[in-house]
């Protein structure tokens, strides 16, 4: 009787193929995800760590996260700041508050700021344009990333011309049926994909990504995610475990797992060697060493929280979100020491996407 999955050989062969060619077929992705064993997981994570080191060395880039509004017009079933959550304590930061966060972050060494918020109609294109221009004027050597959801092309163009460099818009799932499970009828997967294509067209360094273990996710939907990412070729990919929020329809759904998240991080690094790949707050939430394990699986970005302490617990996308420990910007030195223990170091430059590949890679 042969060993399952032909021992571990077939899993390692598929990992090697992904590393060599940058892609697998849908059937191969499904096979790898469905039938992998522990040895295949370890092999993929070790190889992904080696790839990260070849492209980016031991440098881990920091992004100062500013969660500037938790108002949102959308009612996505998984999100703690969804419009229908009447228990959410809503807030908006003023422009001077945002600039103060940047000032503090700049002093700590941050050279990239991430403005993240719900789809809040108060922050019109004109208001955002003013905020972007003020940040870029005061901190001209810094990169600015936006993560404020789906907009029309003209709005994205205003952001870009005002000076925004990067844009994060996780696609959440590339499968239509799965998308419908996660979102109300007024939202469209095709529109979200079109937004991502528009962002790339306008010259943003663009980020996509998905939740690991979201309700209804299967090997087939995950394979669609990997194929979509390969086709889009985003400069950034953000993935993290689904964590249920008590005030959402998914309150009783099981959370995504550490093991799956680390494995999928590794596959993304092998598929896109140059990608900027965060070890997310959600990963740090489900395991006390989640970010370190993420880095050892190919991640090369961490995003400490620069938001005012008074609002951090109000931006509660999921239950238990960490916001005041080592992941907080004011404890950056502590986070740095933790990362040094795994042989890496935090760097304070902009941490741009690598357009070149080192010779001999």
């Amino acid at each position: 009787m042969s060993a399952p999955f032909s021992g571990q050989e077939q899993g390692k062969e598929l990992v090697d193929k992904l590393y060599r060619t940058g892609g697998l077929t849908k059937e191969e992705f499904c096979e790898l995800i469905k039938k992998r064993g522990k040895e295949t997981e370890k092999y993929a994570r070790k190889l992904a760590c080696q790839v990260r080191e070849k492209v980016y060395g031991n440098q881990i880039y920091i992004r100062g996260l500013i969660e500037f509004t938790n108002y949102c017009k959308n009612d996505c079933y998984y999100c703690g700041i969804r419009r229908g959550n009447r228990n959410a304590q809503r807030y908006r930061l003023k422009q001077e508050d945002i600039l103060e966060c940047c000032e503090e972050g700049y002093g700590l060494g941050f050279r990239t700021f991430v403005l993240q918020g719900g789809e809040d109609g108060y922050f019109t294109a004109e208001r955002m344009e003013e905020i972007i221009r003020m940040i870029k004027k005061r901190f001209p050597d810094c990169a600015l990333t936006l993560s404020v959801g789906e907009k029309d092309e003209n709005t994205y163009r205003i952001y870009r011309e005002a000076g925004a460099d990067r844009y994060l818009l996780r696609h959440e799932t590339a499968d239509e049926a799965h998308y419908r499970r996660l979102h109300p009828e007024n939202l469209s997967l095709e529109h979200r994909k079109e937004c991502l294509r528009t962002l790339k067209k306008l010259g943003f360094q663009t980020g996509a990504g998905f939740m690991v273990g979201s309700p209804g996710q299967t090997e087939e939907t995950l394979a669609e995610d990997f194929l979509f990412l390969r086709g889009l070729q985003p400069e950034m990919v953000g993935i993290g475990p689904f964590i249920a929020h008590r005030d959402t329809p998914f309150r009783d759904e099981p959370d995504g797992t550490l093991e799956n998240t680390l494995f999928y991080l590794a596959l993304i690094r092998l598929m896109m060697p140059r990608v900027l790949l965060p070890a997310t707050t959600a990963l740090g939430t489900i395991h006390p060493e989640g970010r370190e394990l993420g880095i050892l699986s190919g991640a090369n970005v961490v995003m400490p929280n620069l938001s005012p302490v008074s609002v951090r617990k109000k931006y509660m996308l999921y239950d238990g979100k960490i916001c005041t420990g080592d992941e907080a910007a004011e404890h950056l030195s502590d986070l740095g020491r933790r990362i040094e223990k795994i042989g890496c170091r935090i760097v304070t430059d902009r941490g741009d996407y690598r357009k070149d590949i080192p010779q001999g890679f």
Side-chain angles (χ1 to χ4, degrees):
M1 181 176 177
S2 61
F5 205 45
S6 303
Q8 291 294 326
E9 290 79 7
Q10 189 177 357
K12 290 182 178 179
E13 285 176 8
L14 289 173
V15 169
D16 285 336
K17 180 179 178 182
L18 183 63
Y19 169 60
R20 289 194 319 271
T21 68
L24 298 174
T25 67
K26 181 176 180 178
E27 292 73 21
E28 287 171 330
F29 271 122
C30 287
E31 186 78 4
L32 178 57
I33 294 166
K34 195 178 297 186
K35 296 184 178 179
R36 72 185 190 268
K38 294 294 183 185
E39 290 303 313
T40 300
E41 290 180 355
K42 290 179 183 177
Y43 179 70
R45 291 173 56 198
K46 182 177 180 180
L47 185 57
C49 189
Q50 293 171 357
V51 170
R52 172 186 54 75
E53 290 174 352
K54 286 181 180 179
V55 180
Y56 289 101
N58 69 345
Q59 298 182 338
I60 304 301
Y61 301 111
I62 54 172
R63 314 297 197 216
L65 180 62
I66 304 170
E67 297 162 334
F68 70 104
T69 175
N70 73 345
Y71 283 86
C72 190
K73 69 177 184 180
N74 294 329
D75 221 9
C76 303
Y77 303 141
Y78 50 83
C79 184
I81 65 169
R82 63 197 302 262
R83 186 187 70 233
N85 180 9
R86 296 183 179 181
N87 293 324
Q89 300 177 53
R90 305 293 179 178
Y91 73 91
R92 295 184 179 107
L93 297 185
K94 297 177 181 177
Q95 180 173 303
E96 53 264 34
D97 297 326
I98 295 171
L99 290 171
E100 189 175 316
C101 292
C102 294
E103 195 76 55
E104 178 186 353
Y106 194 87
L108 290 170
F110 289 88
R111 294 300 179 266
T112 295
F113 303 119
V114 181
L115 293 187
Q116 178 175 298
E119 294 195 24
D120 182 355
Y122 173 83
F123 287 98
T124 61
E126 292 72 28
R127 281 196 172 105
M128 288 301 299
E129 179 182 20
E130 185 177 354
I131 292 168
I132 293 164
R133 290 192 186 279
M134 287 293 294
I135 292 173
K136 295 297 285 190
K137 181 179 180 181
R138 191 173 299 187
F139 309 101
D141 56 332
C142 293
L144 179 60
T145 303
L146 302 179
S147 181
V148 290
E150 298 179 15
K151 310 294 179 184
D152 58 47
E153 181 170 341
N154 185 57
T155 299
Y156 286 145
R157 183 176 287 107
I158 289 171
Y159 295 166
R160 184 75 180 110
E161 291 176 356
D165 304 282
R166 303 167 180 161
Y167 202 101
L168 302 175
L169 183 67
R170 295 206 312 188
H171 66 280
E172 302 299 4
T173 176
D175 179 85
E176 178 63 38
H178 188 212
Y179 185 90
R180 291 270 60 89
R181 174 83 186 275
L182 303 177
H183 301 91
E185 286 298 322
N186 65 307
L187 297 177
S188 158
L189 175 58
E190 183 50 41
H191 183 258
R192 200 161 185 89
K193 289 180 177 179
E194 186 58 34
C195 285
L196 285 163
R197 291 189 283 265
T198 298
L199 289 163
K200 286 197 63 98
K201 180 180 74 173
L202 293 174
F204 283 97
Q205 290 186 39
T206 303
F210 57 89
M211 292 180 292
V212 175
S214 60
Q217 189 174 73
T218 65
E219 291 85 1
E220 288 73 19
T221 64
L222 281 163
E224 292 286 356
D225 286 321
F226 287 113
L227 292 172
F228 174 70
L229 290 171
R230 187 188 182 200
L232 181 67
Q233 287 295 307
E235 288 79 14
M236 304 170 282
V237 173
I239 73 167
F242 164 79
I243 303 175
H245 190 288
R246 62 185 176 275
D247 295 318
T248 71
F250 292 154
R251 63 181 67 84
D252 297 322
E253 296 286 344
D255 294 341
T257 67
L258 175 73
E259 292 75 17
N260 283 344
T261 306
L262 297 178
F263 184 58
Y264 304 153
L265 280 170
L267 297 188
I268 291 167
R269 174 61 66 195
L270 295 175
M271 184 170 66
M272 294 181 285
R274 297 175 292 177
V275 76
L276 293 166
L277 189 62
T280 64
T281 301
L283 191 55
T285 297
I286 64 170
H287 191 283
E289 296 179 357
R291 278 161 303 183
E292 293 96 318
L293 292 168
I295 291 167
L296 291 173
S297 303
N300 69 327
V301 173
V302 290
M303 299 172 66
N305 201 320
L306 271 175
S307 308
V309 174
S310 61
V311 304
R312 288 182 192 171
K313 291 186 178 181
K314 298 178 182 179
Y315 201 86
M316 200 57 62
L317 302 177
Y318 46 82
D319 285 350
K321 180 187 170 194
I322 52 175
C323 56
T324 56
D326 284 357
E327 71 291 338
E330 59 268 24
H331 299 296
L332 186 61
S333 59
D334 297 327
L335 179 61
R337 282 190 287 272
R338 291 175 59 172
I339 288 175
E340 285 173 4
K341 288 182 179 179
I342 59 171
C344 295
R345 63 186 180 91
I346 285 176
V347 292
T348 58
D349 62 37
R350 289 164 49 115
D352 284 310
Y353 173 74
R354 288 289 303 271
K355 294 182 178 180
D356 61 317
I357 289 288
Q359 189 174 5
F361 178 75

